[in-house]
Amino acid sequence: MRSIAEALQSMLPAFPTLGEEEVPLTRAAGRYLASDIVADLDSPAFDNSAMDGYAVRAAVVASASTDIPVRLRVSSESRTGGDIPSELEPGTVCRIFTGATMPPGADAVVIQEDTKRDGEEVDIFEASTVGRHVRARGSDVRRGETILRQGDRLWPGEIGLLASQNVARMRVYRQPRVALLSTGDELETLGEELAPGKIINSNVYVLGEMLGLLGAIPDPLPAARDDLPSIEAALRRALEADVVITIGGVSVGAYDLVHEAFQHLGIDPEFWKVRIKPGKPLAFAQHHGKPVIGLPGNPISAMVTFEVLVAPCLRQMLGDREPHPQPLVARLQHAYHRRPGRVEIARGVATRHGDEIHVSLHKLQGSGSLPSFVGVNALVILPSDRGDFNAGDQVDTILWGSGLRGPHSFFDSVS
Ligand code: AMP
Ligand code: MG
């Protein structure tokens, strides 16, 4: 049986990026860049004022002070978005506003608060230095500079930078389409009446959402029955996607027929089991280079194995240079005892207390218990060789879902 690390080592090489496509900026959020982006424009594109005030030549106001102001004529005005101002007449100032172009010949801005206007003239009460309150052309970005790198994910900040550079379209990696093939005679579609012994196919909705949040495209197929022809037919259809995920039927029960269906289609798993709890039965194969993953059917097992083993692979496929979550260290709030042997991914609630993250495990830790994932914001990693954990022990914890939140603003205690 493989460790989680060994399983990931086998899986990751099967998830290269899928090629590129061009998207408009308005469709690019959450995507990963397929190439570096080089600035086409200086930013700012022109010297402009950082404040409302008066554009001056610093040398002319060098002697200004509150007691002995320098009085100068206001010879021009530069409005934000207005005409390009002409050269500043020597010995005068130009009325200017935030974002407006600096007139040639001016090299500093005196803020309005340090002046007093008197008709056509203004008293300057504060000396200035060259460049003060001026946003110089190219001071943020120089034309020709690499501003974003291949593999960067486009979050709002990146979108803003691209928009400011007038980049309307960009090359991103293609999103994998991931077939979700549930198996089980007990499964019903959401909204259908539940006959005795039947359950709603909740996994397909959960995994569909998890795929969407990663940035992949879920392709949920109708659930297959627990018979070989049904599973095989569904698998053939699933193999049209970029990645195949089957759900359920990978265990050792008489109706766990996914093994056999794989065999019939020539899908040859590299492994069937991983030392992870919940979720031991987990198959991974490559069919003509296409990744095929058999997830366990128990809802919590499916979620945990997806998050730990499948999500990093898909992030890599989506173009992420850093596909692996980095745990933070949290302090367990209570004792927990279990049988060692597998790495356990326990669901918990993390909170912040001063310098520390505290984590409490959900009291339900069963592999089928859906309430055990509700309100959870932390996956606690319990190493395989330890069975006894005490209150106060430090545990590695991956933040999940909403992350750390609280009812009170942190800024109540920050001035
Ligand atoms: P299996 O892996 O097929 O042996 O299923 C293990 C448990 O998970 C059984 O209780 C199944 O009813 C349940 N299960 C399997 N597939 C799903 C699914 N798609 N949605 C919800 N529960 C499932
Ligand atoms: Mg089943």
Side-chain angles (χ1 to χ4, degrees):
M1 208 181 338
R2 302 204 180 197
S3 68
I4 295 173
E6 289 163 349
L8 276 170
Q9 250 170 39
S10 307
M11 293 168 74
L12 281 162
F15 291 81
T17 51
L18 287 175
E20 307 171 12
E21 63 184 342
E22 198 180 84
V23 290
L25 182 77
T26 49
R27 310 282 308 163
R31 303 295 295 271
Y32 292 88
L33 282 176
S35 57
D36 292 353
I37 303 269
V38 174
D40 224 11
L41 306 170
D42 282 337
S43 177
F46 47 91
D47 291 349
N48 69 90
S49 177
M51 301 292 278
D52 293 326
Y54 293 87
V56 301
R57 198 183 285 280
V60 172
V61 299
S63 70
S65 69
T66 321
D67 296 335
I68 312 175
V70 172
R71 176 167 277 244
L72 295 166
R73 183 163 65 84
V74 182
S75 61
S76 57
E77 180 181 273
S78 179
R79 281 181 56 180
T80 314
D83 295 338
I84 300 303
S86 49
E87 174 104 18
L88 186 67
E89 280 178 46
T92 72
V93 300
C94 169
R95 177 73 170 123
I96 199 163
F97 302 93
T98 305
T101 308
M102 288 289 285
D107 57 18
V109 169
V110 175
I111 64 173
Q112 191 169 311
E113 292 83 339
D114 292 332
T115 67
K116 183 152 189 275
R117 184 73 179 256
D118 179 12
E120 297 293 286
E121 299 188 318
V122 64
D123 282 326
I124 308 279
F125 293 101
E126 185 77 26
S128 192
T129 50
V130 171
R132 186 124 173 86
H133 301 309
V134 176
R135 301 190 284 216
R137 171 174 187 160
S139 55
D140 285 341
V141 175
R142 286 237 166 256
R143 184 187 168 149
E145 191 185 312
T146 300
I147 47 170
L148 291 172
R149 286 175 56 212
Q150 176 186 6
D152 285 346
R153 195 170 195 188
L154 300 176
W155 295 118
E158 286 78 6
I159 296 285
L161 180 58
L162 289 167
S164 75
Q165 283 284 325
N166 208 6
V167 177
R169 306 182 69 80
M170 62 279 319
R171 297 199 71 76
V172 295
Y173 287 111
R174 203 160 73 65
Q175 299 167 288
R177 194 159 62 82
V178 182
L180 283 176
L181 170 54
S182 342
T183 65
D185 285 342
E186 74 279 31
L187 301 180
E188 292 284 11
T189 308
L190 187 67
E192 269 170 37
E193 194 137 335
L194 277 180
K198 305 283 185 183
I199 63 170
I200 299 295
N201 180 356
S202 60
N203 281 344
V204 78
Y205 301 102
V206 172
L207 294 172
E209 291 305 324
M210 291 176 86
L211 284 167
L213 289 170
L214 283 175
I217 302 170
D219 182 5
L221 307 182
R225 323 293 313 166
D226 281 322
D227 62 67
L228 269 177
S230 172
I231 300 175
E232 284 178 28
L235 258 179
R236 280 204 181 84
R237 156 83 172 74
L239 283 165
E240 290 166 17
D242 299 305
V243 177
V244 176
I245 295 180
T246 67
I247 308 165
V250 283
S251 199
V252 294
Y255 300 99
D256 289 334
L257 298 169
V258 169
H259 293 235
E260 224 175 310
F262 278 7
Q263 263 178 14
H264 288 186
L265 294 192
I267 300 169
D268 183 19
E270 294 172 32
F271 57 84
W272 279 105
K273 285 180 181 172
V274 180
R275 278 200 305 280
I276 181 173
K277 185 182 175 193
K280 181 166 66 179
L282 182 134
F284 172 68
Q286 289 187 68
H287 187 250
H288 304 304
K290 182 166 297 187
V292 179
I293 302 145
L295 292 185
N298 268 314
I300 304 307
S301 305
M303 285 175 83
V304 165
T305 49
F306 181 92
E307 185 64 14
V308 172
L309 291 159
V310 183
C313 295
L314 288 175
R315 277 192 212 101
Q316 175 176 284
M317 190 172 234
L318 282 154
D320 198 337
R321 291 192 308 270
E322 297 174 336
H324 299 288
Q326 296 295 300
L328 44 84
V329 176
R331 213 172 270 290
L332 193 62
Q333 294 305 290
H334 51 80
Y336 183 66
H337 301 286
R338 66 181 197 110
R339 203 143 44 90
R342 283 187 277 164
V343 174
E344 181 168 353
I345 310 295
R347 279 77 62 215
V349 177
T351 51
R352 200 190 119 131
H353 291 263
D355 293 345
E356 290 196 333
I357 308 295
H358 289 184
V359 68
S360 303
L361 303 189
H362 202 292
K363 64 180 191 305
L364 297 173
Q365 292 290 340
S367 59
S369 169
L370 273 166
S372 81
F373 238 118
V374 170
V376 159
N377 67 346
L379 299 179
V380 179
I381 305 167
L382 305 174
S384 60
D385 56 357
R386 259 186 87 182
D388 296 312
F389 297 84
N390 300 310
D393 282 357
Q394 292 192 319
V395 284
D396 285 323
T397 299
I398 297 172
L399 290 184
W400 202 82
S402 64
L404 289 173
R405 302 292 200 98
H408 304 292
S409 168
F410 176 66
F411 295 99
D412 292 342
S413 57
V414 173
S415 53

